[in-house]
Amino acid sequence: VSNLEGSDDHVKVALQLFSGPTTWENYYKCTGAGADAAAPDMEKECGISWVKHLTNDTLQVAKLTADLQWPQATTLTSVALAEASAELINGREDAASIVLVVTDGKPMSKSRTTEAVNALKAKARVIWVPVGPGAPVEFVEELASLPKEENIIQIDDFEKLSWSYFTNKIIAQSCPELVSNMFDEALH
């Protein structure tokens, strides 16, 4: 994130940390299937929090990622994707939106996740980064935007997520124009 140039006419980024509910009651509440019509507390009941809404302060977002803790709960991917889709309303109209999904666990509902990602793909390119041995790689392959080889970056261990190789691969896949400009500047 810190390598991206943010400004009003450049990159805007948002950061969401998601896991999922710890009870079935909260699951039903978070997915709108519960008897309670009240909106759930997204952070406390659903395990989904916005660390930072869309901003052009990419350095601040990069700093915030360093303090994140692995939530170690269920994986409510469908609701996290729906939240990401809603966040795009705050983006630039002329921008090509990209949602980068880093996940280590199987979603609580495959069908709801499929619905949510299909709705999101109508607004944005979705790049998946399945991480670790429990990551749902086969399911991610079903969900990824086309071409799949450009929209899935598999990493076998969370420690490797910070490696330059994977950081550069994620940037190259999501921002080919940025990479092209970096190479042009390096050559001149």
Side-chain angles (χ1 to χ4, degrees), residues 108-166:
M108 293 185 78
S109 169
K110 282 187 168 187
S111 61
R112 287 179 188 265
T113 300
T114 300
E115 288 176 27
V117 78
N118 287 338
L120 179 57
K121 287 193 296 190
K123 299 179 182 180
R125 177 179 166 203
V126 181
I127 299 176
W128 291 85
V129 183
V131 181
V137 177
E138 290 178 11
F139 186 54
V140 163
E141 289 171 353
E142 294 174 28
L143 301 176
S145 296
L146 298 174
K148 293 182 187 297
E149 61 274 3
E150 293 178 11
N151 294 298
I152 301 173
I153 303 166
Q154 186 175 354
I155 304 175
D156 62 1
D157 186 289
F158 265 102
E159 294 295 319
K160 294 179 183 177
L161 191 55
S162 63
W163 288 10
S164 295
Y165 171 81
F166 290 110

Side-chain angles (χ1 to χ4, degrees), residues 163-182:
W163 288 10
S164 295
Y165 171 81
F166 290 110
T167 303
N168 291 337
K169 190 169 183 172
I170 290 168
I171 291 171
Q173 297 295 60
S174 58
C175 305
E177 185 177 318
L178 173 68
V179 173
S180 176
N181 290 343
M182 287 172 36

Side-chain angles (χ1 to χ4, degrees), residues 17-183:
L17 180 64
F18 78 97
S19 60
T22 56
T23 68
W24 283 110
E25 178 184 348
N26 283 347
Y27 171 78
Y28 295 126
K29 194 172 185 181
C30 295
T31 58
D36 187 357
D41 181 314
M42 293 305 288
E43 188 169 350
K44 292 179 181 158
E45 296 173 317
C46 305
I48 298 172
S49 62
W50 283 102
V51 178
K52 190 71 178 170
H53 287 280
L54 274 172
T55 179
N56 55 19
D57 191 346
T58 57
L59 290 176
Q60 181 191 28
V61 175
K63 289 176 186 172
L64 291 170
T65 61
D67 296 329
L68 295 178
Q69 297 294 315
W70 180 39
Q72 299 185 28
T74 58
T75 308
L76 193 55
T77 311
S78 60
V79 176
L81 293 171
E83 286 282 307
S85 182
E87 181 70 9
L88 293 176
I89 292 169
N90 301 315
R92 291 190 350 256
E93 287 184 27
D94 63 329
S97 297
I98 298 172
V99 174
L100 182 70
V101 183
V102 179
T103 186
D104 70 330
K106 294 179 175 79
M108 293 185 78
S109 169
K110 282 187 168 187
S111 61
R112 287 179 188 265
T113 300
T114 300
E115 288 176 27
V117 78
N118 287 338
L120 179 57
K121 287 193 296 190
K123 299 179 182 180
R125 177 179 166 203
V126 181
I127 299 176
W128 291 85
V129 183
V131 181
V137 177
E138 290 178 11
F139 186 54
V140 163
E141 289 171 353
E142 294 174 28
L143 301 176
S145 296
L146 298 174
K148 293 182 187 297
E149 61 274 3
E150 293 178 11
N151 294 298
I152 301 173
I153 303 166
Q154 186 175 354
I155 304 175
D156 62 1
D157 186 289
F158 265 102
E159 294 295 319
K160 294 179 183 177
L161 191 55
S162 63
W163 288 10
S164 295
Y165 171 81
F166 290 110
T167 303
N168 291 337
K169 190 169 183 172
I170 290 168
I171 291 171
Q173 297 295 60
S174 58
C175 305
E177 185 177 318
L178 173 68
V179 173
S180 176
N181 290 343
M182 287 172 36
F183 281 122

